[in-house]
């Protein structure tokens, strides 16, 4: 089992920044690829960003490319999402998720943290 706890959400004005953190406990963190997803009211959950288990590879949704940066610190069992130039359409509940490095799907999810961007 992997337990994930997100933090760092809040209310910010458009153009501002937030950094989300996701602390992991349980199995060996460095064996898991990590992802961030978000779900806005009335919409389906969507992919935001992902990072490989080694940290060597990162992936982003087109909507956040150039504004968001995913990173991880395996010594602290933590993955981060730095969000800059925030837009009102970034408003959502943000979830982190863990995928074992040889698995095709994310098996573990956090409870989510709310990000609200005001115009």
């Amino acid at each position: 089992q992997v337990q994930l706890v997100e933090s760092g959400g809040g209310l910010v004005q458009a153009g501002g920044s937030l950094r989300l953190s996701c602390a992991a406990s349980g199995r060996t963190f460095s064996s898991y690829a990590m992802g961030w997803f978000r779900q806005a009211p009335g919409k389906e959950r969507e992919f935001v960003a992902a990072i490989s288990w080694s940290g060597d590879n990162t992936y982003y949704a087109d909507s956040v490319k150039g504004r968001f940066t995913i990173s991880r610190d395996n010594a602290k069992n933590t993955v981060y999402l730095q969000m800059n130039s925030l837009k009102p359409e970034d408003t959502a509940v943000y979830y982190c998720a863990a995928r074992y490095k040889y698995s095709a799907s994310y098996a573990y999810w956090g409870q989510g943290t709310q990000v609200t961007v005001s115009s």
Side-chain angles (χ1 to χ4, degrees):
Q1 284 285 351
V2 176
Q3 292 80 42
L4 302 173
V5 179
E6 302 97 335
S7 61
L11 174 63
V12 64
Q13 288 189 334
S17 297
L18 282 175
R19 188 174 84 154
L20 304 184
S21 300
C22 174
S25 60
R27 300 281 181 88
T28 305
F29 179 70
S30 60
S31 295
Y32 289 80
M34 300 297 296
W36 285 96
F37 295 77
R38 68 186 182 186
Q39 187 167 20
K43 295 187 177 181
E44 294 188 353
R45 186 162 55 191
E46 64 175 1
F47 168 77
V48 175
I51 188 166
S52 62
W53 59 273
S54 64
D56 290 343
N57 298 296
T58 57
Y59 311 89
Y60 297 94
D62 288 343
S63 59
V64 307
K65 204 170 292 183
R67 300 188 297 121
F68 290 9
T69 302
I70 188 170
S71 62
R72 66 188 297 159
D73 185 338
N74 284 348
K76 295 183 178 180
N77 285 7
T78 301
V79 63
Y80 305 96
L81 185 68
Q82 177 66 45
M83 306 186 295
N84 299 329
S85 302
L86 283 161
K87 305 175 181 180
E89 52 263 43
D90 294 318
T91 295
V93 178
Y94 283 70
Y95 300 89
C96 73
R99 175 177 63 81
Y100 184 61
K101 60 185 178 181
Y102 299 128
S103 175
S105 61
Y106 289 90
Y108 304 101
W109 294 81
Q111 83 289 347
T113 186
Q114 176 71 47
V115 172
T116 303
V117 185
S118 63
S119 58

